[in-house]
Structures are given as C-alpha cells and as structure tokens.
Short mmCIF file of all heavy atoms in Angstrom, two decimals:
data_model
loop_
_atom_site.label_atom_id
_atom_site.label_comp_id
_atom_site.label_asym_id
_atom_site.label_seq_id
_atom_site.Cartn_x
_atom_site.Cartn_y
_atom_site.Cartn_z
N VAL A 1 128.80 91.28 78.87
CA VAL A 1 128.81 92.66 78.66
C VAL A 1 127.52 93.29 79.16
O VAL A 1 127.52 94.24 79.81
CB VAL A 1 128.91 93.05 77.14
CG1 VAL A 1 128.73 94.51 76.87
CG2 VAL A 1 130.38 92.58 76.61
N TYR A 2 126.38 92.62 78.87
CA TYR A 2 125.06 93.09 79.41
C TYR A 2 124.94 93.14 80.93
O TYR A 2 124.44 93.96 81.44
CB TYR A 2 123.94 92.38 78.79
CG TYR A 2 123.64 92.56 77.33
CD1 TYR A 2 123.53 91.61 76.36
CD2 TYR A 2 123.39 93.97 76.90
CE1 TYR A 2 123.37 91.86 75.11
CE2 TYR A 2 123.19 94.24 75.55
CZ TYR A 2 123.13 93.17 74.68
OH TYR A 2 122.91 93.52 73.41
N LEU A 3 125.55 92.09 81.53
CA LEU A 3 125.44 91.93 82.95
C LEU A 3 125.90 93.13 83.76
O LEU A 3 125.26 93.53 84.78
CB LEU A 3 126.12 90.67 83.46
CG LEU A 3 125.49 89.37 82.93
CD1 LEU A 3 126.38 88.29 83.54
CD2 LEU A 3 124.02 89.21 83.39
N LYS A 4 127.00 93.77 83.37
CA LYS A 4 127.38 94.95 84.09
C LYS A 4 126.55 96.13 83.89
O LYS A 4 126.54 97.17 84.65
CB LYS A 4 128.83 95.27 83.88
CG LYS A 4 129.07 95.99 82.58
CD LYS A 4 130.61 96.27 82.43
CE LYS A 4 130.80 97.16 81.19
NZ LYS A 4 132.28 97.49 81.05
N HIS A 5 125.63 96.19 82.85
CA HIS A 5 124.81 97.21 82.55
C HIS A 5 123.33 96.99 83.01
O HIS A 5 122.48 97.88 82.78
CB HIS A 5 124.79 97.52 81.06
CG HIS A 5 126.14 98.02 80.57
ND1 HIS A 5 126.68 99.35 80.93
CD2 HIS A 5 127.01 97.37 79.81
CE1 HIS A 5 127.83 99.39 80.34
NE2 HIS A 5 128.10 98.24 79.69
N ILE A 6 123.03 96.05 83.66
CA ILE A 6 121.66 95.63 84.05
C ILE A 6 121.06 96.72 84.93
O ILE A 6 119.88 97.08 84.62
CB ILE A 6 121.61 94.33 84.84
CG1 ILE A 6 121.74 93.00 83.77
CG2 ILE A 6 120.32 94.13 85.55
CD1 ILE A 6 121.83 91.66 84.29
N PRO A 7 121.70 97.32 85.87
CA PRO A 7 121.03 98.43 86.67
C PRO A 7 120.69 99.53 85.67
O PRO A 7 119.52 100.13 85.82
CB PRO A 7 122.17 98.89 87.67
CG PRO A 7 123.06 97.72 87.83
CD PRO A 7 123.05 97.04 86.42
N SER A 8 121.34 99.90 84.73
CA SER A 8 120.90 101.03 83.86
C SER A 8 119.86 100.56 82.78
O SER A 8 119.18 101.40 82.30
CB SER A 8 122.18 101.59 82.97
OG SER A 8 122.78 100.65 82.30
N LEU A 9 119.66 99.25 82.65
CA LEU A 9 118.54 98.86 81.72
C LEU A 9 117.28 98.90 82.30
O LEU A 9 116.29 98.75 81.66
CB LEU A 9 119.00 97.33 81.29
CG LEU A 9 120.08 97.12 80.37
CD1 LEU A 9 120.42 95.69 80.09
CD2 LEU A 9 120.01 97.91 79.10
N ASN A 10 117.18 99.05 83.67
CA ASN A 10 115.89 99.20 84.25
C ASN A 10 115.03 100.33 83.57
O ASN A 10 113.84 100.25 83.51
CB ASN A 10 115.97 99.40 85.75
CG ASN A 10 116.33 98.19 86.42
OD1 ASN A 10 116.09 97.12 86.04
ND2 ASN A 10 117.14 98.33 87.56
N ALA A 11 115.68 101.51 83.25
CA ALA A 11 115.00 102.58 82.63
C ALA A 11 114.37 102.08 81.28
O ALA A 11 113.33 102.44 80.96
CB ALA A 11 115.90 103.71 82.49
N TYR A 12 115.19 101.36 80.53
CA TYR A 12 114.56 100.79 79.25
C TYR A 12 113.43 99.77 79.49
O TYR A 12 112.48 99.93 78.74
CB TYR A 12 115.80 99.95 78.50
CG TYR A 12 116.67 100.83 77.67
CD1 TYR A 12 118.01 100.86 78.09
CD2 TYR A 12 116.16 101.25 76.55
CE1 TYR A 12 118.87 101.61 77.30
CE2 TYR A 12 117.09 102.14 75.63
CZ TYR A 12 118.40 102.23 76.14
OH TYR A 12 119.33 102.94 75.36
N VAL A 13 113.45 98.95 80.49
CA VAL A 13 112.42 98.09 80.77
C VAL A 13 111.17 98.89 81.01
O VAL A 13 110.13 98.65 80.46
CB VAL A 13 112.70 97.21 81.93
CG1 VAL A 13 111.48 96.39 82.39
CG2 VAL A 13 113.88 96.24 81.59
N LYS A 14 111.17 99.90 81.94
CA LYS A 14 110.05 100.78 82.26
C LYS A 14 109.51 101.45 81.06
O LYS A 14 108.35 101.59 80.82
CB LYS A 14 110.40 101.67 83.36
CG LYS A 14 110.54 100.95 84.70
CD LYS A 14 110.96 101.95 85.79
CE LYS A 14 111.10 101.18 87.03
NZ LYS A 14 111.36 102.04 88.18
N PHE A 15 110.51 101.99 80.23
CA PHE A 15 110.03 102.74 78.92
C PHE A 15 109.44 101.81 78.03
O PHE A 15 108.24 102.09 77.65
CB PHE A 15 111.25 103.30 78.33
CG PHE A 15 110.97 104.14 77.10
CD1 PHE A 15 110.70 105.52 77.35
CD2 PHE A 15 110.84 103.59 75.94
CE1 PHE A 15 110.43 106.36 76.28
CE2 PHE A 15 110.49 104.46 74.82
CZ PHE A 15 110.27 105.78 74.93
N ILE A 16 109.91 100.62 77.78
CA ILE A 16 109.31 99.67 76.94
C ILE A 16 107.95 99.12 77.39
O ILE A 16 106.93 98.99 76.67
CB ILE A 16 110.32 98.48 76.54
CG1 ILE A 16 111.41 98.98 75.79
CG2 ILE A 16 109.57 97.40 75.83
CD1 ILE A 16 112.59 98.16 75.69
N GLN A 17 107.92 99.00 78.68
CA GLN A 17 106.61 98.66 79.22
C GLN A 17 105.42 99.64 79.01
O GLN A 17 104.29 99.35 78.93
CB GLN A 17 106.74 98.32 80.76
CG GLN A 17 107.39 97.04 81.14
CD GLN A 17 107.75 96.88 82.44
OE1 GLN A 17 107.81 97.84 83.29
NE2 GLN A 17 108.00 95.63 82.92
N GLN A 18 105.82 100.89 78.99
CA GLN A 18 104.86 101.98 78.92
C GLN A 18 104.78 102.54 77.47
O GLN A 18 104.01 103.45 77.25
CB GLN A 18 105.16 103.12 79.92
CG GLN A 18 104.92 102.49 81.30
CD GLN A 18 105.40 103.57 82.32
OE1 GLN A 18 105.86 104.70 82.02
NE2 GLN A 18 105.34 103.22 83.63
N TYR A 19 105.54 102.02 76.55
CA TYR A 19 105.65 102.55 75.25
C TYR A 19 104.33 102.47 74.47
O TYR A 19 103.86 103.57 73.88
CB TYR A 19 106.75 101.69 74.43
CG TYR A 19 106.72 102.17 73.01
CD1 TYR A 19 107.32 103.30 72.58
CD2 TYR A 19 106.16 101.29 71.99
CE1 TYR A 19 107.35 103.71 71.18
CE2 TYR A 19 106.15 101.66 70.70
CZ TYR A 19 106.73 102.92 70.34
OH TYR A 19 106.78 103.23 69.03
N GLU A 20 103.54 101.50 74.47
CA GLU A 20 102.37 101.43 73.79
C GLU A 20 101.30 102.41 74.43
O GLU A 20 100.58 103.12 73.64
CB GLU A 20 101.80 100.09 73.89
CG GLU A 20 102.46 99.03 72.95
CD GLU A 20 101.81 97.67 72.88
OE1 GLU A 20 100.68 97.61 73.12
OE2 GLU A 20 102.56 96.69 72.52
N ASP A 21 101.30 102.63 75.65
CA ASP A 21 100.42 103.62 76.29
C ASP A 21 100.79 105.11 75.88
O ASP A 21 99.95 105.88 75.65
CB ASP A 21 100.52 103.45 77.79
CG ASP A 21 99.81 102.30 78.30
OD1 ASP A 21 98.98 101.65 77.54
OD2 ASP A 21 100.09 101.74 79.41
N ALA A 22 102.09 105.29 75.78
CA ALA A 22 102.66 106.62 75.41
C ALA A 22 102.24 106.84 73.99
O ALA A 22 101.79 107.93 73.67
CB ALA A 22 104.27 106.63 75.50
N VAL A 23 102.32 105.75 73.01
CA VAL A 23 101.95 106.02 71.53
C VAL A 23 100.50 106.31 71.55
O VAL A 23 100.10 107.19 70.80
CB VAL A 23 102.37 104.79 70.79
CG1 VAL A 23 101.83 104.88 69.48
CG2 VAL A 23 103.99 104.82 70.74
N ALA A 24 99.67 105.69 72.26
CA ALA A 24 98.15 105.77 72.27
C ALA A 24 97.89 107.11 72.72
O ALA A 24 96.99 107.84 72.16
CB ALA A 24 97.54 104.69 73.09
N ALA A 25 98.54 107.61 73.85
CA ALA A 25 98.23 108.96 74.31
C ALA A 25 98.67 110.03 73.37
O ALA A 25 97.97 111.03 73.20
CB ALA A 25 99.07 109.12 75.71
N LEU A 26 99.80 109.77 72.62
CA LEU A 26 100.21 110.81 71.60
C LEU A 26 99.21 110.87 70.46
O LEU A 26 98.81 111.90 70.13
CB LEU A 26 101.56 110.34 71.06
CG LEU A 26 102.19 111.21 70.03
CD1 LEU A 26 102.27 112.67 70.40
CD2 LEU A 26 103.48 110.55 69.35
N GLN A 27 98.85 109.66 70.07
CA GLN A 27 97.85 109.57 68.92
C GLN A 27 96.46 110.22 69.39
O GLN A 27 95.88 111.01 68.56
CB GLN A 27 97.53 108.10 68.55
CG GLN A 27 98.68 107.54 67.85
CD GLN A 27 98.58 106.15 67.48
OE1 GLN A 27 97.72 105.43 68.09
NE2 GLN A 27 99.30 105.59 66.54
N GLU A 28 95.97 110.06 70.59
CA GLU A 28 94.87 110.68 71.11
C GLU A 28 94.93 112.18 71.14
O GLU A 28 94.02 112.89 70.77
CB GLU A 28 94.52 110.15 72.55
CG GLU A 28 93.36 110.81 73.27
CD GLU A 28 92.04 110.49 72.65
OE1 GLU A 28 91.89 109.50 71.83
OE2 GLU A 28 91.01 111.16 72.95
N ALA A 29 96.04 112.61 71.67
CA ALA A 29 96.26 114.05 71.85
C ALA A 29 96.30 114.74 70.50
O ALA A 29 95.70 115.77 70.20
CB ALA A 29 97.61 114.40 72.53
N GLU A 30 96.99 114.09 69.45
CA GLU A 30 96.98 114.61 68.12
C GLU A 30 95.55 114.65 67.53
O GLU A 30 95.30 115.52 66.78
CB GLU A 30 97.81 113.71 67.29
CG GLU A 30 99.38 113.89 67.47
CD GLU A 30 100.18 113.10 66.49
OE1 GLU A 30 100.41 111.95 66.96
OE2 GLU A 30 100.36 113.66 65.28
N SER A 31 94.78 113.62 67.75
CA SER A 31 93.53 113.61 67.17
C SER A 31 92.41 114.68 67.71
O SER A 31 91.47 114.99 67.01
CB SER A 31 92.82 112.14 67.32
OG SER A 31 92.47 111.85 68.65
N VAL A 32 92.67 115.04 68.98
CA VAL A 32 91.75 116.00 69.64
C VAL A 32 92.17 117.43 69.76
O VAL A 32 91.42 118.28 69.96
CB VAL A 32 91.22 115.41 70.99
CG1 VAL A 32 90.66 114.06 70.88
CG2 VAL A 32 92.38 115.44 71.94
N SER A 33 93.43 117.62 69.54
CA SER A 33 94.00 119.01 69.62
C SER A 33 94.70 119.53 68.50
O SER A 33 95.79 119.18 68.14
CB SER A 33 94.93 118.91 70.92
OG SER A 33 95.51 120.20 71.14
N LYS A 34 94.07 120.62 67.88
CA LYS A 34 94.62 121.27 66.78
C LYS A 34 96.01 122.01 67.31
O LYS A 34 97.04 122.14 66.60
CB LYS A 34 93.74 122.29 66.26
CG LYS A 34 92.52 121.74 65.61
CD LYS A 34 92.85 121.10 64.25
CE LYS A 34 91.61 120.64 63.60
NZ LYS A 34 91.84 119.75 62.43
N GLU A 35 95.97 122.57 68.59
CA GLU A 35 97.05 123.25 69.10
C GLU A 35 98.21 122.23 69.19
O GLU A 35 99.36 122.59 68.98
CB GLU A 35 96.71 123.87 70.47
CG GLU A 35 95.81 125.00 70.43
CD GLU A 35 94.24 124.57 70.34
OE1 GLU A 35 94.04 123.37 70.51
OE2 GLU A 35 93.46 125.41 70.27
N PHE A 36 98.01 120.98 69.65
CA PHE A 36 99.07 120.03 69.81
C PHE A 36 99.71 119.59 68.49
O PHE A 36 100.78 119.44 68.23
CB PHE A 36 98.58 118.67 70.52
CG PHE A 36 99.59 117.72 71.01
CD1 PHE A 36 100.65 118.16 71.78
CD2 PHE A 36 99.63 116.48 70.38
CE1 PHE A 36 101.67 117.43 72.15
CE2 PHE A 36 100.69 115.65 70.82
CZ PHE A 36 101.64 116.09 71.68
N GLN A 37 98.73 119.41 67.42
CA GLN A 37 99.14 119.20 65.97
C GLN A 37 100.12 120.28 65.54
O GLN A 37 101.11 119.95 64.97
CB GLN A 37 98.01 119.07 65.09
CG GLN A 37 97.10 117.80 65.35
CD GLN A 37 95.87 117.92 64.48
OE1 GLN A 37 95.63 118.70 63.63
NE2 GLN A 37 94.93 116.90 64.71
N GLN A 38 99.67 121.45 65.79
CA GLN A 38 100.62 122.65 65.35
C GLN A 38 101.88 122.63 66.06
O GLN A 38 102.89 122.85 65.48
CB GLN A 38 99.91 123.89 65.66
CG GLN A 38 100.54 125.18 65.22
CD GLN A 38 100.81 125.31 63.61
OE1 GLN A 38 100.04 124.63 62.81
NE2 GLN A 38 101.97 125.64 63.30
N PHE A 39 101.89 122.23 67.49
CA PHE A 39 103.16 122.23 68.21
C PHE A 39 104.04 121.25 67.64
O PHE A 39 105.32 121.36 67.48
CB PHE A 39 102.74 121.86 69.65
CG PHE A 39 104.02 121.44 70.43
CD1 PHE A 39 105.00 122.32 70.93
CD2 PHE A 39 104.27 120.17 70.71
CE1 PHE A 39 106.02 121.98 71.63
CE2 PHE A 39 105.40 119.72 71.39
CZ PHE A 39 106.30 120.58 71.84
N LEU A 40 103.45 120.08 67.29
CA LEU A 40 104.22 118.97 66.65
C LEU A 40 104.94 119.32 65.40
O LEU A 40 106.07 118.97 65.08
CB LEU A 40 103.49 117.66 66.55
CG LEU A 40 102.97 116.99 67.83
CD1 LEU A 40 102.11 115.78 67.60
CD2 LEU A 40 104.21 116.52 68.67
N LEU A 41 104.21 120.16 64.54
CA LEU A 41 104.63 120.56 63.21
C LEU A 41 105.85 121.65 63.40
O LEU A 41 106.90 121.53 62.78
CB LEU A 41 103.55 121.20 62.48
CG LEU A 41 102.54 120.25 61.88
CD1 LEU A 41 101.41 120.94 61.15
CD2 LEU A 41 103.19 119.34 60.78
N VAL A 42 105.59 122.41 64.39
CA VAL A 42 106.70 123.42 64.74
C VAL A 42 107.88 122.87 65.24
O VAL A 42 109.08 123.07 64.86
CB VAL A 42 106.15 124.47 65.66
CG1 VAL A 42 107.31 125.37 66.18
CG2 VAL A 42 105.08 125.31 64.97
N ALA A 43 107.70 121.84 66.17
CA ALA A 43 108.81 121.11 66.75
C ALA A 43 109.63 120.31 65.68
O ALA A 43 110.85 120.40 65.69
CB ALA A 43 108.40 120.10 67.83
N LYS A 44 108.86 119.67 64.73
CA LYS A 44 109.56 118.96 63.70
C LYS A 44 110.35 119.80 62.80
O LYS A 44 111.44 119.51 62.26
CB LYS A 44 108.46 118.09 62.93
CG LYS A 44 109.11 117.22 61.80
CD LYS A 44 108.05 116.51 61.09
CE LYS A 44 108.71 115.70 59.91
NZ LYS A 44 107.90 115.30 58.97
N ALA A 45 109.76 121.03 62.51
CA ALA A 45 110.54 121.96 61.66
C ALA A 45 111.70 122.65 62.28
O ALA A 45 112.56 123.16 61.57
CB ALA A 45 109.54 123.07 61.24
N ASN A 46 111.90 122.53 63.47
CA ASN A 46 113.00 123.15 64.29
C ASN A 46 114.31 122.33 63.81
O ASN A 46 114.26 121.18 63.86
CB ASN A 46 112.79 123.05 65.87
CG ASN A 46 113.90 123.59 66.61
OD1 ASN A 46 115.02 123.53 66.27
ND2 ASN A 46 113.49 124.30 67.72
N PRO A 47 115.25 123.05 63.48
CA PRO A 47 116.58 122.40 62.99
C PRO A 47 117.10 121.36 64.03
O PRO A 47 117.75 120.40 63.64
CB PRO A 47 117.48 123.41 62.73
CG PRO A 47 116.66 124.72 62.51
CD PRO A 47 115.50 124.51 63.31
N LYS A 48 116.91 121.73 65.37
CA LYS A 48 117.42 120.89 66.40
C LYS A 48 116.74 119.49 66.41
O LYS A 48 117.38 118.57 66.84
CB LYS A 48 117.28 121.46 67.73
CG LYS A 48 118.27 122.66 67.93
CD LYS A 48 117.94 123.31 69.35
CE LYS A 48 118.81 124.51 69.54
NZ LYS A 48 118.60 125.03 70.83
N SER A 49 115.54 119.45 65.82
CA SER A 49 114.85 118.09 65.86
C SER A 49 115.38 117.21 64.67
O SER A 49 115.02 116.00 64.58
CB SER A 49 113.33 118.29 65.65
OG SER A 49 113.05 118.65 64.31
N GLN A 50 116.17 117.76 63.80
CA GLN A 50 116.62 117.03 62.61
C GLN A 50 115.50 116.38 61.83
O GLN A 50 115.63 115.23 61.34
CB GLN A 50 117.72 116.00 62.98
CG GLN A 50 118.85 116.65 63.68
CD GLN A 50 119.95 115.64 64.05
OE1 GLN A 50 119.68 114.47 64.14
NE2 GLN A 50 121.10 116.08 64.46
N ASN A 51 114.51 117.01 61.78
CA ASN A 51 113.26 116.54 61.00
C ASN A 51 112.55 115.34 61.65
O ASN A 51 111.86 114.60 60.92
CB ASN A 51 113.50 116.40 59.51
CG ASN A 51 112.32 116.64 58.68
OD1 ASN A 51 111.41 117.53 58.98
ND2 ASN A 51 112.23 115.92 57.65
N HIS A 52 112.79 114.99 62.90
CA HIS A 52 112.27 113.82 63.52
C HIS A 52 110.88 114.15 64.09
O HIS A 52 110.71 115.32 64.63
CB HIS A 52 113.08 113.27 64.59
CG HIS A 52 114.38 112.61 64.28
ND1 HIS A 52 114.41 111.39 63.51
CD2 HIS A 52 115.64 112.97 64.35
CE1 HIS A 52 115.63 111.07 63.27
NE2 HIS A 52 116.38 112.17 63.85
N THR A 53 109.94 113.24 63.97
CA THR A 53 108.69 113.49 64.72
C THR A 53 108.77 112.90 66.20
O THR A 53 109.64 112.23 66.45
CB THR A 53 107.61 112.68 64.01
OG1 THR A 53 107.81 111.27 64.06
CG2 THR A 53 107.39 113.14 62.62
N LEU A 54 107.81 113.29 66.97
CA LEU A 54 107.88 112.95 68.38
C LEU A 54 107.68 111.35 68.30
O LEU A 54 108.32 110.74 69.08
CB LEU A 54 106.65 113.59 69.15
CG LEU A 54 106.60 113.16 70.59
CD1 LEU A 54 107.94 113.35 71.30
CD2 LEU A 54 105.55 114.03 71.27
N SER A 55 106.83 110.87 67.49
CA SER A 55 106.59 109.25 67.48
C SER A 55 107.85 108.62 67.09
O SER A 55 108.15 107.51 67.59
CB SER A 55 105.41 109.03 66.69
OG SER A 55 105.63 109.46 65.34
N SER A 56 108.70 109.19 66.16
CA SER A 56 109.90 108.60 65.77
C SER A 56 110.90 108.62 66.83
O SER A 56 111.75 107.72 66.98
CB SER A 56 110.45 109.21 64.48
OG SER A 56 111.04 110.40 64.63
N LEU A 57 110.94 109.66 67.65
CA LEU A 57 111.85 109.77 68.84
C LEU A 57 111.46 108.77 69.87
O LEU A 57 112.23 108.31 70.53
CB LEU A 57 111.88 111.28 69.26
CG LEU A 57 112.51 112.24 68.39
CD1 LEU A 57 112.16 113.63 68.89
CD2 LEU A 57 113.96 111.86 68.23
N LEU A 58 110.06 108.61 70.12
CA LEU A 58 109.65 107.70 70.99
C LEU A 58 110.04 106.34 70.83
O LEU A 58 110.41 105.44 71.65
CB LEU A 58 108.13 107.69 71.14
CG LEU A 58 107.50 108.73 72.03
CD1 LEU A 58 106.00 108.76 71.92
CD2 LEU A 58 107.96 108.72 73.45
N VAL A 59 110.12 105.82 69.50
CA VAL A 59 110.48 104.54 69.13
C VAL A 59 111.92 104.22 69.13
O VAL A 59 112.47 103.15 69.24
CB VAL A 59 109.97 104.07 67.77
CG1 VAL A 59 110.68 104.66 66.62
CG2 VAL A 59 109.80 102.57 67.70
N THR A 60 112.68 105.28 69.25
CA THR A 60 114.22 105.16 69.18
C THR A 60 114.70 104.23 70.32
O THR A 60 115.48 103.25 70.05
CB THR A 60 114.97 106.51 69.20
OG1 THR A 60 114.61 107.20 68.10
CG2 THR A 60 116.49 106.37 69.17
N PRO A 61 114.39 104.43 71.59
CA PRO A 61 114.89 103.51 72.61
C PRO A 61 114.47 102.11 72.47
O PRO A 61 115.06 101.06 72.78
CB PRO A 61 114.40 104.03 73.94
CG PRO A 61 114.02 105.51 73.66
CD PRO A 61 113.64 105.40 72.12
N VAL A 62 113.16 101.97 71.95
CA VAL A 62 112.65 100.54 71.76
C VAL A 62 113.39 99.86 70.69
O VAL A 62 113.65 98.67 70.81
CB VAL A 62 111.09 100.72 71.43
CG1 VAL A 62 110.60 99.41 71.08
CG2 VAL A 62 110.33 101.36 72.53
N SER A 63 113.78 100.60 69.59
CA SER A 63 114.49 99.86 68.52
C SER A 63 116.07 99.80 68.72
O SER A 63 116.59 99.03 68.16
CB SER A 63 114.23 100.58 67.17
OG SER A 63 114.81 101.93 67.25
N ARG A 64 116.54 100.52 69.53
CA ARG A 64 118.05 100.58 69.94
C ARG A 64 118.41 99.29 70.66
O ARG A 64 119.56 98.79 70.22
CB ARG A 64 118.40 101.79 70.72
CG ARG A 64 119.84 101.88 70.99
CD ARG A 64 120.35 103.27 71.48
NE ARG A 64 120.21 104.14 70.32
CZ ARG A 64 119.95 105.46 70.51
NH1 ARG A 64 119.70 105.95 71.66
NH2 ARG A 64 119.93 106.33 69.38
N LEU A 65 117.71 98.80 71.58
CA LEU A 65 118.17 97.69 72.50
C LEU A 65 118.40 96.48 71.58
O LEU A 65 119.44 95.82 71.64
CB LEU A 65 117.19 97.45 73.52
CG LEU A 65 117.67 96.47 74.65
CD1 LEU A 65 119.02 97.16 75.27
CD2 LEU A 65 116.57 96.35 75.71
N PRO A 66 117.45 95.99 70.72
CA PRO A 66 117.79 94.90 69.95
C PRO A 66 119.02 95.01 68.92
O PRO A 66 119.68 94.08 68.73
CB PRO A 66 116.47 94.80 68.91
CG PRO A 66 115.52 95.45 69.76
CD PRO A 66 116.13 96.57 70.52
N ARG A 67 119.34 96.24 68.41
CA ARG A 67 120.53 96.45 67.60
C ARG A 67 121.76 96.29 68.51
O ARG A 67 122.93 96.22 67.85
CB ARG A 67 120.46 97.81 67.02
CG ARG A 67 119.46 97.97 65.95
CD ARG A 67 119.50 99.27 65.22
NE ARG A 67 118.77 100.22 66.01
CZ ARG A 67 119.03 101.53 65.98
NH1 ARG A 67 119.91 101.97 65.25
NH2 ARG A 67 118.27 102.31 66.77
N MET A 68 121.72 96.23 69.84
CA MET A 68 122.89 96.25 70.66
C MET A 68 123.51 94.80 70.75
O MET A 68 124.57 94.52 71.14
CB MET A 68 122.66 96.72 72.03
CG MET A 68 122.43 98.20 72.15
SD MET A 68 121.81 98.72 73.70
CE MET A 68 123.23 98.45 74.76
N GLU A 69 122.62 93.73 70.25
CA GLU A 69 123.01 92.40 70.39
C GLU A 69 124.09 92.09 69.46
O GLU A 69 124.50 92.50 68.51
CB GLU A 69 121.94 91.52 70.14
CG GLU A 69 120.70 91.69 71.19
CD GLU A 69 119.65 90.68 70.96
OE1 GLU A 69 119.27 90.45 69.78
OE2 GLU A 69 119.08 90.43 71.96
#
C-alpha cells in the first residue's frame, strides 16, 4: 500500500526533517514578540481553528504517519 504513495510521502519526509527547526523558530518568535503571541491567541480563538494552537497543528503530520501503519 505504501509503495504506490511513495512520491507523495516526499513532502512528509521534508516536513519531518525540518519539524524541530520549525518548532524552535515558533518558540523563539513567541518568546520575543508580544504581537506574535497576540496573533496566536486570536488565531486559536477563531472558530475555524477548532481551538488548536499552531504548535498542535505543526505536530499533526508528524504524528499522523505512524498511525497509518
């Protein structure tokens, strides 16, 4: 099943390779920018976000692949 989807898994591989850097950049931005902190609060409060944080959305692709097994 996985073999026919290998080309589309390349996006997952790149995302996972850069995931830790993305999380670190997010944490850095949150720690230095009050405006960014406010943006994240407003975004989380938006009903379309379903109360998800940006960090919880970032981890979704990382956690989804192991569940596919």
Side-chain angles (χ1 to χ4, degrees):
V1 173
Y2 286 124
L3 292 178
K4 77 176 189 177
H5 296 290
I6 286 177
S8 61
L9 292 177
N10 287 333
Y12 275 109
V13 171
K14 289 180 182 183
F15 185 90
I16 291 168
Q17 287 172 336
Q18 296 177 356
Y19 172 75
E20 288 185 22
D21 291 339
V23 170
L26 175 60
Q27 290 172 343
E28 174 71 17
E30 285 182 270
S31 70
V32 299
S33 174
K34 296 284 186 198
E35 292 86 5
F36 189 63
Q37 290 173 7
Q38 185 62 34
F39 166 78
L40 293 175
L41 289 173
V42 170
K44 183 181 177 200
N46 184 319
K48 291 180 181 180
S49 75
Q50 298 179 346
N51 209 36
H52 290 290
T53 62
L54 182 54
S55 59
S56 71
L57 292 171
L58 279 175
V59 77
T60 301
V62 176
S63 64
R64 182 168 288 152
L65 196 57
R67 287 187 277 154
M68 292 171 64
E69 295 182 329

